[in-house]
Amino acid sequence: MPTIAKFYWIIIYMHQIRKEHNPPHIHVRYGEEMGTVKIQDFKILSGHLSKRTYDLVKEFLILNQEELLKMWMSGDIKQLPPLQ
């Protein structure tokens, strides 16, 4: 899975095969924490993220939601700037 962003030791990535993995979502890894988060409404679909990790991921999603949905639809995964 291609990495989209890394910030504060959080890694965000996305599968390139979209059709088998609806709804549109990202995968998140931070140490032992792992989860998938829906791009449209930021709902955790699977796994567990601490409140701090989730809040940072949600901020990233809000800033990049449109671009992430474009990547999901096109399959053209690219790196995005990290949170600062």
Side-chain angles (χ1 to χ4, degrees):
M1 281 184 282
T3 299
I4 295 171
K6 294 180 185 179
F7 51 90
Y8 305 114
W9 299 99
I10 297 170
I11 302 170
I12 307 289
Y13 52 98
M14 183 185 291
H15 285 285
Q16 288 182 304
I17 303 171
R18 303 165 318 282
K19 293 179 184 176
E20 298 174 15
H21 294 90
N22 278 321
H25 63 277
I26 57 166
H27 294 261
V28 178
R29 172 174 261 158
Y30 174 68
E32 300 281 323
E33 299 176 33
M34 294 175 56
T36 57
V37 182
K38 193 173 170 184
I39 296 170
Q40 290 101 328
D41 63 8
F42 323 123
K43 180 180 177 184
I44 296 177
L45 298 172
S46 67
H48 173 76
L49 302 173
S50 67
K51 179 176 177 359
R52 180 181 181 277
T53 302
Y54 174 76
D55 288 345
L56 290 168
V57 169
K58 183 177 178 182
E59 182 179 346
F60 175 80
L61 285 170
I62 290 168
L63 292 171
N64 296 288
Q65 187 176 39
E66 186 176 321
E67 188 63 34
L68 289 165
L69 287 171
K70 284 180 190 176
M71 282 192 253
W72 183 270
M73 298 307 289
S74 70
D76 184 22
I77 310 300
K78 62 182 180 179
Q79 288 204 341
L80 297 174
L83 287 182
Q84 300 205 19

